[in-house]
Amino acid sequence: MTASNSLVGFFNFLTFLASVPVLGAGIWLSSRANTADCLKFLEWPFIAIGVSIMVVSLAGFAGACYRNTYLLRFYLVAMFFIIVALIGFVIFAYGVTSRGSGRLVLGRVYRDYYLTDYSGWLEERVADEKYWADISSCVRESRVCARIRRELGGVPEPAELFYIRPLTPVESGCCKPPTECNFIYVNETMWNPGVVPPGGSTDCARWSNDQAALCYACDSCKAGVLGSLKDTWRKAALINIIAIIVLVILYGLSYAAYRNSRKNDTNEAYGAARMTKSHPAVIRI
């Protein structure tokens, strides 16, 4: 192997390592989709891209080791499109989560979530009754609301302690009624009706102390899922932004080393025409 080919092989090995966080982000999203976020979509593109980077980088590594020009060219072309696809999905993840966040509530550490604060493709997908039936069932089966209950000395924690807990978006949106309903706290998932202000949230009427219902039919629960998706997708996108920067640098270095390797193989500038003799030598006897 020439020095240039060795560099190409080394850069491909680093590219293989750079695929690990991309694949890891996809696997993390998949685990979140089954336990907290309950919406499967972005994890499979990231997993597919991570696996593709691994396969293509191994092809490039083999091409560098065996000086196989076709494998090296395949690596350069395929990796270009993979990086473009990864950039596209990162832009998509930021684009569909650009709007909406929890509202601060006076005297509370947790935030309240309102569906009207969100818009766009992701909001329409979550709010769609066809999708929400599966999402709400997933949230219910995850027992996220059952896990927020705490007891002190065999009795539920007092309201003063509950109000200063940093609830997740799903816990806040699905496991309790909106604060504006003025319901009276009994425990984390039991609230007695209060005086609902005129023009109050329609979720006040949807709340139920039935532990199988709670606020799973509320718009606040949908907003909580959207808030959780926003946090999760943006964390995954940030990991992939770092991976993109590393991949672009390694791709540029690999391409430069490949060009230099071609120069060494031909002993001339890349792309230059080779000199040929226009007339064969005449053998005189």
Side-chain angles (χ1 to χ4, degrees):
M1 290 178 64
T2 65
S4 295
N5 277 353
S6 298
L7 283 175
V8 173
F10 176 68
F11 294 146
N12 276 277
F13 175 71
L14 294 180
T15 301
F16 179 86
L17 295 181
S19 69
V20 174
V22 179
L23 182 60
I27 294 173
W28 178 65
L29 283 175
S30 180
S31 66
R32 292 279 300 181
N34 292 324
T35 58
D37 298 333
C38 292
L39 179 65
K40 298 180 180 180
F41 180 77
L42 201 59
E43 67 275 11
W44 291 115
F46 282 153
I47 290 175
I49 290 174
V51 172
S52 298
I53 294 173
M54 285 185 171
V55 173
V56 171
S57 61
L58 288 176
F61 185 79
C65 289
Y66 297 101
R67 303 186 67 180
N68 189 311
T69 302
Y70 296 107
L71 284 178
L72 291 175
R73 288 177 177 172
F74 167 75
Y75 160 78
L76 292 172
V77 174
M79 188 58 65
F80 173 81
F81 287 106
I82 289 173
I83 292 174
V84 170
L86 186 57
I87 292 173
F89 279 111
V90 168
I91 293 174
F92 172 81
Y94 270 94
V96 298
T97 58
S98 61
R99 299 179 181 178
S101 61
R103 296 185 189 178
L104 295 173
V105 182
L106 184 64
R108 309 286 192 272
V109 170
Y110 56 76
R111 299 187 176 207
D112 277 357
Y113 292 82
Y114 292 83
L115 189 60
T116 53
D117 292 341
Y118 296 85
S119 62
W121 176 86
L122 188 59
E123 184 272 335
E124 292 174 359
R125 190 176 182 90
V126 171
D128 188 294
E129 292 303 323
K130 179 178 64 175
Y131 290 105
W132 182 246
D134 293 334
I135 294 172
S136 61
S137 176
C138 170
V139 173
R140 187 181 298 107
E141 291 173 1
S142 70
R143 297 184 58 79
V144 61
C145 293
R147 291 197 299 269
I148 71 171
R149 299 182 198 138
R150 294 179 183 175
E151 291 187 351
L152 296 175
V155 298
E157 69 174 357
E160 293 77 14
L161 292 180
F162 177 73
Y163 293 155
I164 61 173
R165 285 173 60 179
L167 302 179
T168 67
V170 172
E171 290 171 346
S172 178
C174 303
C175 305
K176 66 170 189 61
T179 304
E180 67 174 295
C181 297
N182 293 324
F183 280 17
I184 301 170
Y185 175 90
V186 178
N187 63 37
E188 294 86 346
T189 58
M190 291 280 290
W191 299 73
N192 289 331
V195 180
V196 179
S201 173
T202 55
D203 287 343
C204 299
R206 293 170 179 159
W207 169 262
S208 171
N209 282 329
D210 181 351
Q211 298 301 294
L214 298 179
C215 218
Y216 297 130
C218 298
D219 287 344
S220 64
C221 190
K222 298 174 183 178
V225 170
L226 287 168
S228 181
L229 285 169
K230 179 176 181 177
D231 293 342
T232 302
W233 284 19
R234 291 209 161 191
K235 288 176 182 177
L238 180 60
I239 294 173
N240 283 286
I241 287 174
I242 298 173
I244 287 170
I245 294 172
V246 174
L247 287 172
V248 168
I249 293 173
L250 292 174
Y251 181 84
L253 293 173
S254 297
Y255 181 70
Y258 169 76
R259 284 175 59 95
N260 191 57
S261 175
R262 295 290 294 166
K263 286 181 183 179
N264 293 335
D265 287 344
T266 59
N267 287 322
E268 61 185 12
Y270 184 77
R274 294 183 177 180
M275 296 179 61
T276 57
K277 293 184 179 182
S278 58
H279 300 287
V282 179
I283 301 177
R284 299 177 183 272
I285 298 179

